[in-house]
Amino acid sequence: MRDGLKEFELLDPEMIAMALGTINAESAGFKPISEFRSRYNTRSTPFDLYDAGTSRGRMLGNTRRGDGPRYKGRGFIQLTGRYNYATIGAELAVDLEGDPELANDGAVAGKILACFLKKKEDSVRAAIGRRDLHTARKLVNGGTHGFDRFKSAFDTIMNRVSEPA
């Protein structure tokens, strides 16, 4: 993760706290993980609610049968959907669309997280500046899933940074 943040010039305390808080919310074990089946992604077969022809599938850029399970959430930020795998993969020069499992490689997952944060950097920084952590979380997750874990890690890091030496 640090290499990714360094590559995208996001090594200040706020963005490190944002990254670590995000990882804590998405994969509390601080390991990139694959999305679990849930009522939000599965009706009858795994990840069929993400498949081509469904409303979620269209939003995710899934165009072929089987794209739902193939492009399920992975990594530190749960990168999801053919469009996101192709777009972020191209930006990182990694064939995520061709080999979606690469999103769970630690180094790649760190770069995906950093790339995503860089794209949202101005909005994330503005939200953090207002101490609006709900909005900061939504900018990465689209909602507030794992917000308590996110806030706990974010606050712990920022409190450590602000402690007198």
Side-chain angles (χ1 to χ4, degrees), residues 12-14 16-17 155-165:
D12 57 277
E14 290 82 8
I16 291 171
D155 288 344
T156 297
I157 293 159
M158 293 309 296
N159 287 338
R160 292 245 170 114
V161 169
S162 65
E163 289 177 356

Side-chain angles (χ1 to χ4, degrees), residues 64-87:
R64 298 182 189 141
R65 184 182 171 127
D67 277 358
R70 182 170 172 82
Y71 299 108
K72 66 185 174 187
R74 289 185 182 86
F76 289 135
I77 63 165
Q78 295 299 286
L79 184 69
T80 309
R82 179 184 286 273
Y83 174 82
N84 289 321
Y85 277 80
T87 302

Side-chain angles (χ1 to χ4, degrees), residues 74-152:
R74 289 185 182 86
F76 289 135
I77 63 165
Q78 295 299 286
L79 184 69
T80 309
R82 179 184 286 273
Y83 174 82
N84 289 321
Y85 277 80
T87 302
I88 297 288
E91 290 179 33
L92 298 176
V94 175
D95 186 12
L96 294 172
E97 185 177 13
D99 188 357
E101 282 297 326
L102 288 172
N104 274 339
D105 173 88
V108 175
K111 288 184 178 189
I112 292 168
L113 171 59
C115 181
F116 206 83
L117 288 175
K118 187 67 173 182
K119 288 176 172 231
K120 307 274 186 163
E121 180 179 10
D122 292 341
S123 298
V124 167
R125 288 187 186 284
I128 290 170
R130 296 187 309 270
R131 278 303 272 166
D132 182 358
L133 296 182
H134 276 97
T135 296
R137 177 76 183 122
K138 283 180 185 178
L139 288 164
V140 175
N141 176 258
T144 56
H145 167 76
F147 178 75
D148 291 340
R149 291 187 308 275
F150 167 79
K151 184 178 184 319
S152 174

